[in-house]
Amino acid sequence: MQVFRFLTAGESHGKCLTAIIEGIPAGFEINPAFINEELKRRQTGYGRGGRMKIESDTIEITSGVRFGKTLGSPVTLVIQNKDFENWQKIMSINPDDYTDEKSFTKCRPGHADYAGSIKYNHKDLRNVLERSSARKTAIEVAVGAVAKQIIAQVCDIKCSSKILQIGNAKDNFETEIDIAREEGDTLGGKFEIMFENLPVGLGSYVHWDRMLDGKIAQAVMSVPAIKSVSIGNHHAYKMRGSEFHDEMFLEDGKIIRKTNNAGGIEGGMSNGENIIITAVMKPIPTLRKTLNTVDLKTMTEAQSHFERSDVCAVEACTVVAEARIACILADEVLMKFVKDSFEK
Amino acid sequence: MQVFRFLTAGESHGKCLTAIIEGIPAGFEINPAFINEELKRRQTGYGRGGRMKIESDTIEITSGVRFGKTLGSPVTLVIQNKDFENWQKIMSINPDDYTDEKSFTKCRPGHADYAGSIKYNHKDLRNVLERSSARKTAIEVAVGAVAKQIIAQVCDIKCSSKILQIGNAKDNFETEIDIAREEGDTLGGKFEIMFENLPVGLGSYVHWDRMLDGKIAQAVMSVPAIKSVSIGNHHAYKMRGSEFHDEMFLEDGKIIRKTNNAGGIEGGMSNGENIIITAVMKPIPTLRKTLNTVDLKTMTEAQSHFERSDVCAVEACTVVAEARIACILADEVLMKFVKDSFEK
Amino acid sequence: MQVFRFLTAGESHGKCLTAIIEGIPAGFEINPAFINEELKRRQTGYGRGGRMKIESDTIEITSGVRFGKTLGSPVTLVIQNKDFENWQKIMSINPDDYTDEKSFTKCRPGHADYAGSIKYNHKDLRNVLERSSARKTAIEVAVGAVAKQIIAQVCDIKCSSKILQIGNAKDNFETEIDIAREEGDTLGGKFEIMFENLPVGLGSYVHWDRMLDGKIAQAVMSVPAIKSVSIGNHHAYKMRGSEFHDEMFLEDGKIIRKTNNAGGIEGGMSNGENIIITAVMKPIPTLRKTLNTVDLKTMTEAQSHFERSDVCAVEACTVVAEARIACILADEVLMKFVKDSFEK
Amino acid sequence: MQVFRFLTAGESHGKCLTAIIEGIPAGFEINPAFINEELKRRQTGYGRGGRMKIESDTIEITSGVRFGKTLGSPVTLVIQNKDFENWQKIMSINPDDYTDEKSFTKCRPGHADYAGSIKYNHKDLRNVLERSSARKTAIEVAVGAVAKQIIAQVCDIKCSSKILQIGNAKDNFETEIDIAREEGDTLGGKFEIMFENLPVGLGSYVHWDRMLDGKIAQAVMSVPAIKSVSIGNHHAYKMRGSEFHDEMFLEDGKIIRKTNNAGGIEGGMSNGENIIITAVMKPIPTLRKTLNTVDLKTMTEAQSHFERSDVCAVEACTVVAEARIACILADEVLMKFVKDSFEK
């Protein structure tokens, strides 16, 4: 991203999650209440486990905003981990506090445990889990909530989403989830995200790394547990050119389209129609019903470690994906419309 | 990308396509014959139109390689456009050569024409077409062919792919294509790409923009006409956690898996299994059977412009997608294993 | 920077300063006591004003380190502004707290005030001052202190510096400073930084943005108030080639040099000799003796605004410059020697 | 750089030098004649050696420009090496052409030879020389000449420069050069570059890597042989704050300054005054009078290798530094004023 750049940090049971966003022009209104609403959306959703009940995430802005408006300087967002006092010693930065309490060495298939332990030479898989946990998406939702406020102020871009399927259910999701929970199992699903009021010409065809569809695909696919990203009509592969492409007409002197199979992106650019993205989430890899795995310490076969988790997090995942896409759009919108400061 | 970075340039009917790759360590063997084979793979494939017959792309390396090995300095790749002499005047950089021959103003739905003309303020859609054309993927294939040679030398990574579906056909693709051609229509399809011999731990879970799956998704989705990218088992959304996740076992003291639903990526990292990617290509947007559209000059309804094109380019698209992924992997492999120079 | 990347944030009188460093491999020992020592070095030094006495900066690490070692995940550094309680309302993010207390509109020549107010459309110059203040260098020193620990662990690189001149004094700096203070004036100076034990081959000649001297120059010149950066012998411009270039000899079979006019960098790379950088700091632009300026609100001539400040901050500036260079070297050293994890 | 990004490539005796610039908006007039004039300025200048006479560099634009204007797509610049036919075999990419003709193993002090051979594991120092040669600055001058045309069209920014000193001479440079030539020696010098008509607010104080002075310092210091970069008044270190800082006054309702000690940059931003940069070039490290060095193959003491060279290249170096700074300014100007297309 060229203008709206950010780094996030924080362990699942560490003191806090932090993000710094650099590049926001001066003059944007940032409403913490909206960020908190988005954080809440991520935490609720049928199928979430116990932790969500303990912690109601709240944003704190410690830089870059004064009297409700961005200063042009970097914006820092912080979410305290409310459970931290119980983990203070386990997550201590101090070598003298060393403890193997909460250590584990049995890989959880589907998680970062195995590859992470090799890559970073971690003997204790807690050192992998703490950052690979989906907990880190909370701060990404906060960053996205800032991005959403920016794109709303510049172009009135709006975002919405819906769940298309959970496991085998296309409706009555709660029943599907209840059954899975009872069986100690987990579920994935499919969802759709829509952005409305897009200006024409975000992204570009001139170089592969400027194509909007590619940027969105990265943003969505890097959400933990996402395995598939599609733009526009799912049936693209089996439709003929004459059916698929969105013809253009004139209505009252304005160009209109009657279809949106392209999902709002042609030639790597927004074409003014709604952007429509579908994504698939795999089932959550931490489940009560254990999986066969290997204990990396003893190098013996074992049953996977279970840490309190959810049965289904498709709703949360949708919120995270929205946030990620919003960051991409904020970057593009800032590049295209706003220089150093913004005024309504 | 952190090490293997590149820019590409060139218009469809310009003098040549060019790429500069910066960041390749010294000592890698680069074989131009292999690059030419890859260029040929892109050009053949049932369903391609006339241009492919005119031009057999050939690579020229004008920097960065000496006596068969990389020097550590930037590598320049050039593909001459063999048809250029016929376009010299039309594509001239000289203002005195101005001509509106080959100009057009009727948007082709599905192409960059409409959004591109607005974004770049181009009255003549030829100015959009020339760079938004899939022609530019030839040089991307060349860059990918360099990347493939690097990852083969460091880790013996191999790449293969297969077409899963073209239009409604899951086999007998030629018949499907013949029918579409006869009807003046075009086809898309679905294909699968596999990379073998991946080391564990490419990519990372620590920050969203370092996740390998996200990077691959961007690479693939930014190939012109790709509308969907998936990693691993397509049925992820409807499988239970206990079915989907790839359990781990020991065999002769080594960790093995019996399934690969994850498609080789867990927690944003390669897990040592084959990486398996599926992508969907939309039907080609330039078709003989014209589409309703708008003439941007006269602002009247019109039939879309037709420039010589293909009926189906799924094979070519597969080759391009392979190339793009290879670049991502080369970057990761260089970061992980090679410093400044490489020796077998 | 390719591996060691970071963002910093925080206003001078805001709640805290924050930095996130992304890209540090796992396994490095991070000692907060060393960071605090560096923070202290920045705060002391003859010539500093009152604020330094109020605040003794202390680092807090809120992510990325566990039991004394880096996890591979992003490291968050926080320095609380101890004076914040007095500024809470003035620096509030809440629009309802709006106050013009501490607002000012008279540009301070030599500061960011004038250009910043135009660029970001700030009517209240406090909105510029708060981020353009040298206060932000405290967190940069903390980031540099992490970088210094990394380069010490990998290559045993050491850093030292000395002040060459303050105002017109080449020694007895305290007298020079006392005189300036009495006169309500401020001083700049010249200092030298040396890094020892550099490996050969950091940086590269292959592309302009990889040259080590260029990167160091940016790092140093972007320290507030620095106006000049030199590498090696100051007299380069008037020396002959035969005098200047550092001849090479053999001693006990090892290549040695008897001079280091190049200052440790040839062809954009470290050559194994000590890296020697000289920099010039301008006098501090906030001074008791006011300057002629313009009030941007009334557009009348005025005397510049005075906010509590220092007489001379050359020592502090030296510490900041060291920190900045250390970040560059950490990036290069990590690229060259460490992959994903480090073990002594 | 955020918008105007480029890669350059090419060996000193390779087929050609190439650059790709990505990010230029559509609609800018690019005049190749101006680029050629700049190339010529780099080649002339008293003190240049024989090669300059052989080769009169000429630019070829092979993409991104049509009928005199940029298309928005990447611009490719090529300079053929006219001497290439004599080097074809020596610089061949084909392993079968291997020859050790023109190989050398005696390090030239002051060059990249020593560090380059270690970094890239090159036994033949020709493999280092070919890219570390100042020849590559020709294409950088071409890129800068494009940048200069952009900043002239957007803001009417103008550039000029003057040599301040060559060796010990402050005038009568030709005599100084003649003497050095006779003695088989080389000279460096000092020069000043000025950019006029700068808008207020290029660069930023909000983050260290956005400060304009830092970016300029990198650009200049990464020009081969530059050892020092200064902005504004050289005497900054010995002036008092009350003398140094450029007071502001009103004249006919407009803010004016009577001095420009800051050299046009305050708080990391252009302040509307002329940007004034001074740089020091070391003497050329290839000299007829040989230097003591080491033969890396035999590990014996030796006399350095001499390849045809110049006595003094301060004028050329000035042109390169101008070009580099112009690229930085083009990036900033595009970010600030132009979106996707430009129209006068």
Side-chain angles (χ1 to χ4, degrees):
Chain A
M1 296 200 287
Q2 294 167 278
V3 171
F4 186 95
R5 56 177 175 161
F6 64 95
L7 291 175
T8 70
E11 274 64 56
S12 181
H13 300 93
K15 186 170 191 240
C16 58
L17 301 169
T18 310
I20 297 176
I21 312 172
E22 199 288 311
I24 304 177
F28 280 104
E29 289 176 12
I30 301 298
N31 185 352
F34 177 73
I35 304 175
N36 287 331
E37 280 165 36
E38 293 285 288
L39 290 175
K40 193 167 186 183
R41 282 182 66 210
R42 195 194 74 97
Q43 289 194 290
T44 47
Y46 202 76
R48 305 307 304 277
R51 185 167 182 183
M52 297 306 123
K53 284 154 201 158
I54 308 175
E55 306 193 15
S56 168
D57 287 332
T58 314
I59 201 69
E60 188 184 7
I61 300 175
T62 64
S63 79
V65 176
R66 190 177 178 217
F67 303 149
K69 290 195 175 178
T70 55
L71 289 168
S73 54
V75 172
T76 307
L77 304 173
V78 181
I79 301 172
Q80 301 295 333
N81 278 334
K82 291 184 180 165
D83 200 21
F84 181 58
E85 59 185 299
N86 301 319
W87 288 81
Q88 237 176 122
K89 193 121 192 245
I90 293 157
M91 295 303 295
S92 171
I93 68 157
N94 190 338
D96 301 335
D97 289 339
Y98 179 79
T99 168
D100 61 4
E101 197 191 335
K102 296 280 182 187
S103 288
F104 69 104
T105 56
K106 295 172 192 165
C107 289
R108 296 164 307 158
H111 270 293
D113 297 359
Y114 173 64
S117 72
I118 292 176
K119 183 180 180 79
Y120 292 111
N121 196 22
H122 284 317
K123 305 303 177 204
D124 178 0
L125 296 177
R126 163 111 358 239
N127 288 338
V128 177
L129 173 153
E130 283 292 330
R131 181 64 186 166
S132 60
S133 159
R135 173 71 190 144
K136 69 172 171 286
T137 61
I139 196 75
E140 292 167 355
V141 166
V143 173
V146 170
K148 283 182 178 183
Q149 294 184 64
I150 290 171
I151 60 179
Q153 284 170 66
V154 180
C155 301
D156 204 25
I157 294 175
K158 276 170 189 19
C159 173
S160 60
S161 55
K162 63 177 178 226
I163 296 177
L164 302 177
Q165 186 159 347
I166 285 186
N168 284 294
K170 302 198 176 183
D171 46 28
N172 291 323
F173 299 143
E174 300 197 4
T175 316
E176 184 83 357
I177 291 168
D178 287 342
I179 295 167
R181 179 185 288 116
E182 234 163 84
E183 298 178 2
D185 220 325
T186 58
L187 293 168
K190 202 185 266 190
F191 57 85
E192 184 187 287
I193 293 176
M194 184 165 74
F195 282 85
E196 294 172 78
N197 290 338
L198 269 288
V200 176
L202 302 184
S204 178
Y205 57 87
V206 300
H207 205 261
W208 72 268
D209 57 3
R210 292 180 59 189
M211 295 184 81
L212 186 61
D213 37 8
K215 291 183 186 191
I216 288 175
Q218 176 181 27
V220 175
M221 191 68 98
S222 59
V223 175
I226 296 287
K227 300 299 283 185
S228 177
V229 187
S230 305
I231 297 175
N233 191 319
H234 296 206
H235 301 299
Y237 61 98
K238 56 185 180 186
M239 290 168 82
R240 291 287 184 83
S242 57
E243 292 170 275
F244 181 85
H245 296 294
D246 304 307
E247 297 185 299
M248 300 169 81
F249 303 92
L250 283 174
E251 207 174 78
D252 305 330
K254 276 187 59 182
I255 292 168
I256 58 140
R257 313 236 193 179
K258 297 174 181 168
T259 53
N260 184 13
N261 291 319
I265 300 183
E266 288 173 312
M269 292 172 292
S270 59
N271 65 5
E273 305 299 310
N274 295 340
I275 287 188
I276 294 168
I277 292 120
T278 317
V280 165
M281 184 194 184
K282 70 179 184 185
I284 291 172
T286 308
L287 54 166
R288 223 174 61 230
K289 187 191 271 192
T290 59
L291 295 167
N292 289 306
T293 190
V294 170
D295 186 317
L296 293 179
K297 189 178 179 189
T298 58
M299 278 306 273
T300 52
E301 296 196 340
Q303 294 299 299
S304 67
H305 172 87
F306 177 68
E307 181 139 317
R308 183 187 51 191
S309 181
D310 307 327
V311 172
C312 175
V314 177
E315 274 192 63
C317 193
T318 306
V319 176
V320 180
E322 280 182 15
R324 293 280 182 83
I325 301 169
C327 293
I328 301 297
L329 297 177
D331 188 54
E332 295 284 337
V333 161
L334 291 176
M335 282 295 294
K336 199 171 172 61
F337 296 102
V338 187
K339 297 307 186 177
D340 302 315
S341 72
F342 175 76
E343 218 166 336
K344 266 204 257 205
Chain B
M1 296 200 287
Q2 292 168 278
V3 170
F4 186 95
R5 55 177 177 163
F6 64 96
L7 292 175
T8 72
E11 274 64 56
S12 181
H13 300 93
K15 186 169 191 242
C16 57
L17 301 169
T18 309
I20 297 177
I21 313 173
E22 200 288 310
I24 304 179
F28 280 104
E29 288 175 12
I30 301 298
N31 185 352
F34 176 74
I35 304 175
N36 286 331
E37 279 166 36
E38 293 285 288
L39 290 174
K40 193 168 186 182
R41 283 181 66 210
R42 196 196 73 97
Q43 288 194 292
T44 47
Y46 202 77
R48 305 307 303 277
R51 184 167 184 185
M52 296 307 123
K53 283 154 203 160
I54 309 175
E55 306 193 15
S56 168
D57 288 332
T58 313
I59 200 68
E60 190 184 5
I61 299 175
T62 64
S63 79
V65 177
R66 190 178 178 218
F67 303 149
K69 290 195 174 178
T70 55
L71 288 168
S73 53
V75 172
T76 306
L77 305 173
V78 181
I79 300 171
Q80 300 295 333
N81 278 334
K82 291 183 180 166
D83 199 22
F84 181 57
E85 59 184 297
N86 300 319
W87 287 81
Q88 236 175 123
K89 195 124 192 243
I90 294 157
M91 294 303 295
S92 171
I93 69 156
N94 190 338
D96 302 335
D97 289 339
Y98 178 79
T99 168
D100 62 3
E101 195 191 339
K102 297 281 182 186
S103 287
F104 69 103
T105 55
K106 295 171 191 164
C107 290
R108 295 164 306 157
H111 270 295
D113 297 0
Y114 173 63
S117 73
I118 292 176
K119 182 179 181 79
Y120 292 111
N121 196 22
H122 285 317
K123 306 301 178 206
D124 177 0
L125 296 178
R126 163 114 356 242
N127 288 338
V128 177
L129 173 152
E130 283 292 331
R131 179 67 187 164
S132 60
S133 159
R135 173 71 191 145
K136 70 171 172 286
T137 60
I139 197 73
E140 291 167 355
V141 166
V143 173
V146 170
K148 283 182 179 182
Q149 293 184 65
I150 290 170
I151 59 179
Q153 284 170 67
V154 181
C155 301
D156 204 26
I157 294 174
K158 277 171 187 20
C159 172
S160 60
S161 56
K162 62 177 180 228
I163 296 178
L164 303 176
Q165 184 159 348
I166 285 185
N168 284 294
K170 302 200 175 182
D171 46 29
N172 291 322
F173 299 144
E174 299 197 5
T175 316
E176 184 83 356
I177 291 169
D178 287 343
I179 295 166
R181 178 185 289 115
E182 235 162 85
E183 297 178 3
D185 219 325
T186 57
L187 293 169
K190 202 185 268 190
F191 57 86
E192 183 188 288
I193 293 177
M194 183 164 75
F195 282 84
E196 293 172 79
N197 289 338
L198 268 288
V200 176
L202 302 183
S204 177
Y205 58 85
V206 300
H207 205 259
W208 72 269
D209 57 3
R210 293 179 60 189
M211 295 183 83
L212 185 61
D213 38 9
K215 292 183 185 190
I216 288 175
Q218 178 182 25
V220 175
M221 190 69 98
S222 60
V223 174
I226 297 286
K227 299 299 281 184
S228 177
V229 188
S230 305
I231 296 175
N233 192 318
H234 295 207
H235 301 300
Y237 61 98
K238 55 184 180 186
M239 290 167 81
R240 291 287 183 85
S242 56
E243 292 172 276
F244 181 86
H245 296 294
D246 303 307
E247 296 185 299
M248 301 170 80
F249 303 93
L250 284 173
E251 207 174 78
D252 305 330
K254 277 187 57 183
I255 291 168
I256 61 140
R257 311 234 195 182
K258 297 173 181 169
T259 53
N260 184 12
N261 290 318
I265 300 184
E266 288 173 312
M269 293 172 290
S270 59
N271 65 5
E273 305 300 310
N274 295 340
I275 287 188
I276 294 168
I277 292 120
T278 316
V280 165
M281 185 194 185
K282 70 179 184 184
I284 290 172
T286 308
L287 54 166
R288 224 174 60 234
K289 185 191 274 192
T290 59
L291 297 167
N292 289 307
T293 189
V294 170
D295 185 318
L296 293 180
K297 190 179 181 189
T298 58
M299 277 306 273
T300 53
E301 295 197 340
Q303 294 298 299
S304 68
H305 171 87
F306 177 69
E307 182 139 317
R308 183 187 50 190
S309 182
D310 308 325
V311 172
C312 175
V314 177
E315 273 192 65
C317 193
T318 306
V319 177
V320 180
E322 279 181 16
R324 293 282 182 81
I325 301 169
C327 294
I328 301 297
L329 296 178
D331 187 55
E332 295 284 336
V333 161
L334 290 176
M335 283 294 295
K336 197 170 172 63
F337 297 102
V338 188
K339 296 305 184 175
D340 302 314
S341 72
F342 176 75
E343 218 166 334
K344 265 203 256 205
Chain C
M1 297 200 286
Q2 293 168 278
V3 169
F4 186 95
R5 56 177 175 160
F6 64 95
L7 292 175
T8 70
E11 273 64 57
S12 181
H13 300 93
K15 186 169 190 243
C16 57
L17 301 168
T18 310
I20 297 176
I21 313 172
E22 200 290 308
I24 304 177
F28 280 104
E29 288 175 12
I30 301 299
N31 184 353
F34 176 74
I35 305 175
N36 286 332
E37 280 164 36
E38 293 286 288
L39 291 175
K40 193 167 186 181
R41 283 181 65 211
R42 195 195 73 96
Q43 289 194 291
T44 48
Y46 202 77
R48 306 306 304 277
R51 184 168 182 184
M52 297 306 123
K53 284 156 201 158
I54 307 175
E55 305 194 14
S56 168
D57 287 331
T58 314
I59 201 66
E60 188 184 7
I61 300 176
T62 64
S63 79
V65 176
R66 190 178 177 218
F67 303 148
K69 290 195 173 177
T70 55
L71 289 168
S73 53
V75 172
T76 307
L77 304 173
V78 181
I79 300 171
Q80 301 296 333
N81 279 334
K82 290 183 182 168
D83 199 22
F84 181 57
E85 60 185 298
N86 301 319
W87 287 81
Q88 236 175 122
K89 193 119 193 248
I90 292 157
M91 294 304 295
S92 170
I93 69 158
N94 190 339
D96 301 336
D97 289 339
Y98 178 79
T99 169
D100 61 5
E101 196 191 335
K102 297 281 183 184
S103 288
F104 69 103
T105 56
K106 295 171 190 164
C107 290
R108 295 164 307 159
H111 270 294
D113 297 0
Y114 173 63
S117 74
I118 291 176
K119 182 179 181 79
Y120 292 112
N121 197 22
H122 285 316
K123 306 303 176 204
D124 177 1
L125 296 177
R126 162 113 358 239
N127 289 337
V128 176
L129 172 152
E130 283 291 331
R131 179 66 186 164
S132 60
S133 158
R135 173 72 190 143
K136 68 172 172 287
T137 61
I139 197 73
E140 291 166 356
V141 166
V143 173
V146 170
K148 284 181 178 182
Q149 294 184 66
I150 290 171
I151 61 181
Q153 285 170 66
V154 181
C155 302
D156 205 24
I157 294 174
K158 278 171 188 16
C159 173
S160 59
S161 55
K162 62 177 180 228
I163 296 177
L164 303 176
Q165 184 158 349
I166 284 185
N168 284 295
K170 301 200 175 182
D171 46 29
N172 289 325
F173 299 144
E174 298 197 6
T175 316
E176 183 83 358
I177 292 170
D178 286 342
I179 295 166
R181 178 185 289 115
E182 237 163 83
E183 298 178 3
D185 219 325
T186 58
L187 293 168
K190 203 185 268 193
F191 58 86
E192 183 187 286
I193 293 176
M194 182 165 74
F195 282 84
E196 294 172 78
N197 290 338
L198 268 289
V200 176
L202 301 184
S204 177
Y205 58 86
V206 300
H207 204 260
W208 73 268
D209 56 3
R210 292 179 59 188
M211 294 184 83
L212 186 61
D213 38 9
K215 291 183 186 192
I216 287 174
Q218 177 181 25
V220 176
M221 190 69 98
S222 59
V223 175
I226 296 287
K227 298 301 281 184
S228 177
V229 188
S230 306
I231 296 175
N233 192 318
H234 294 208
H235 301 299
Y237 62 97
K238 54 184 180 187
M239 290 168 82
R240 291 288 184 84
S242 57
E243 293 170 276
F244 181 85
H245 296 293
D246 304 306
E247 296 185 300
M248 300 169 80
F249 303 92
L250 282 173
E251 206 173 79
D252 304 331
K254 276 187 61 182
I255 292 168
I256 59 140
R257 314 235 194 180
K258 297 174 181 169
T259 53
N260 184 14
N261 291 318
I265 300 185
E266 288 173 312
M269 291 172 293
S270 59
N271 66 3
E273 305 300 310
N274 294 340
I275 287 187
I276 294 168
I277 292 120
T278 316
V280 165
M281 185 193 183
K282 70 179 184 185
I284 291 173
T286 308
L287 53 167
R288 223 172 59 231
K289 187 190 273 192
T290 59
L291 296 166
N292 289 307
T293 189
V294 170
D295 185 319
L296 293 179
K297 190 178 179 188
T298 59
M299 277 307 273
T300 51
E301 296 195 340
Q303 294 298 300
S304 67
H305 171 86
F306 176 68
E307 181 139 319
R308 182 187 50 189
S309 183
D310 307 327
V311 172
C312 175
V314 177
E315 273 191 65
C317 194
T318 306
V319 177
V320 180
E322 280 182 14
R324 290 285 181 82
I325 301 169
C327 293
I328 300 298
L329 296 178
D331 189 53
E332 295 285 337
V333 162
L334 290 176
M335 281 296 293
K336 199 171 172 62
F337 296 103
V338 188
K339 296 306 183 174
D340 302 314
S341 72
F342 176 75
E343 218 165 336
K344 267 205 253 203
Chain D
M1 296 199 289
Q2 293 168 276
V3 170
F4 186 95
R5 56 176 176 163
F6 64 96
L7 291 175
T8 71
E11 273 64 56
S12 181
H13 300 94
K15 187 169 190 243
C16 58
L17 300 169
T18 309
I20 298 177
I21 313 173
E22 200 289 310
I24 304 177
F28 280 104
E29 288 175 12
I30 301 299
N31 184 354
F34 176 74
I35 303 175
N36 286 331
E37 280 166 36
E38 293 285 288
L39 290 175
K40 193 168 186 180
R41 284 182 65 212
R42 196 194 73 95
Q43 290 194 289
T44 48
Y46 202 76
R48 305 307 304 275
R51 185 167 183 183
M52 297 307 122
K53 285 155 201 158
I54 309 175
E55 305 193 16
S56 167
D57 288 331
T58 315
I59 201 68
E60 189 185 5
I61 300 175
T62 64
S63 79
V65 176
R66 190 176 178 218
F67 303 148
K69 289 197 175 176
T70 55
L71 288 169
S73 53
V75 172
T76 307
L77 305 173
V78 181
I79 300 170
Q80 300 296 332
N81 278 334
K82 291 183 180 165
D83 200 21
F84 181 57
E85 59 185 299
N86 300 320
W87 287 80
Q88 235 175 124
K89 193 120 192 250
I90 293 157
M91 294 305 294
S92 171
I93 69 157
N94 190 340
D96 301 336
D97 289 340
Y98 178 80
T99 169
D100 60 4
E101 195 190 337
K102 298 281 183 186
S103 288
F104 69 103
T105 55
K106 295 172 191 164
C107 290
R108 297 165 304 158
H111 270 295
D113 297 359
Y114 173 64
S117 73
I118 291 177
K119 182 180 180 78
Y120 292 112
N121 196 23
H122 284 318
K123 306 302 177 204
D124 177 1
L125 296 177
R126 164 117 350 244
N127 288 337
V128 176
L129 171 152
E130 283 292 331
R131 180 67 187 164
S132 60
S133 159
R135 173 71 190 145
K136 69 172 172 284
T137 60
I139 197 74
E140 290 167 355
V141 166
V143 173
V146 171
K148 283 181 178 182
Q149 294 184 66
I150 290 171
I151 61 179
Q153 284 169 66
V154 181
C155 301
D156 205 25
I157 294 174
K158 278 170 189 19
C159 174
S160 60
S161 55
K162 63 177 179 227
I163 295 178
L164 303 177
Q165 184 158 348
I166 284 185
N168 284 295
K170 301 200 175 183
D171 46 28
N172 291 323
F173 300 143
E174 300 196 6
T175 317
E176 183 84 357
I177 291 169
D178 287 342
I179 296 167
R181 178 185 289 115
E182 236 163 83
E183 299 177 2
D185 219 324
T186 57
L187 293 168
K190 205 185 265 192
F191 58 86
E192 183 187 287
I193 294 176
M194 183 164 74
F195 283 84
E196 293 172 80
N197 289 338
L198 268 289
V200 176
L202 301 184
S204 176
Y205 58 86
V206 300
H207 205 259
W208 72 269
D209 57 3
R210 293 179 60 189
M211 294 184 83
L212 185 61
D213 38 9
K215 292 183 186 193
I216 287 174
Q218 176 181 27
V220 175
M221 190 69 97
S222 59
V223 175
I226 297 287
K227 299 300 281 184
S228 177
V229 188
S230 305
I231 296 175
N233 192 318
H234 296 207
H235 301 300
Y237 61 99
K238 56 185 179 185
M239 290 167 81
R240 292 289 184 83
S242 57
E243 293 171 275
F244 181 86
H245 295 294
D246 304 306
E247 296 184 301
M248 301 170 79
F249 303 92
L250 282 173
E251 206 173 79
D252 305 330
K254 275 186 61 183
I255 292 168
I256 59 140
R257 313 238 194 179
K258 297 174 181 169
T259 54
N260 184 13
N261 291 318
I265 300 185
E266 288 173 312
M269 292 171 292
S270 59
N271 66 4
E273 305 300 310
N274 294 341
I275 286 188
I276 293 169
I277 292 120
T278 317
V280 166
M281 186 194 183
K282 69 179 184 185
I284 290 173
T286 308
L287 53 166
R288 224 173 60 233
K289 184 190 273 193
T290 58
L291 296 167
N292 289 306
T293 189
V294 171
D295 185 319
L296 293 181
K297 191 178 177 187
T298 57
M299 278 306 275
T300 52
E301 295 195 339
Q303 294 299 299
S304 69
H305 171 87
F306 177 69
E307 182 138 317
R308 183 188 49 191
S309 183
D310 307 327
V311 171
C312 175
V314 177
E315 272 192 65
C317 194
T318 306
V319 177
V320 180
E322 280 183 14
R324 292 283 182 81
I325 301 170
C327 293
I328 301 296
L329 296 178
D331 188 55
E332 295 285 336
V333 162
L334 290 176
M335 282 295 294
K336 197 168 173 64
F337 297 103
V338 188
K339 297 306 184 174
D340 303 313
S341 72
F342 176 76
E343 218 166 337
K344 268 204 256 204

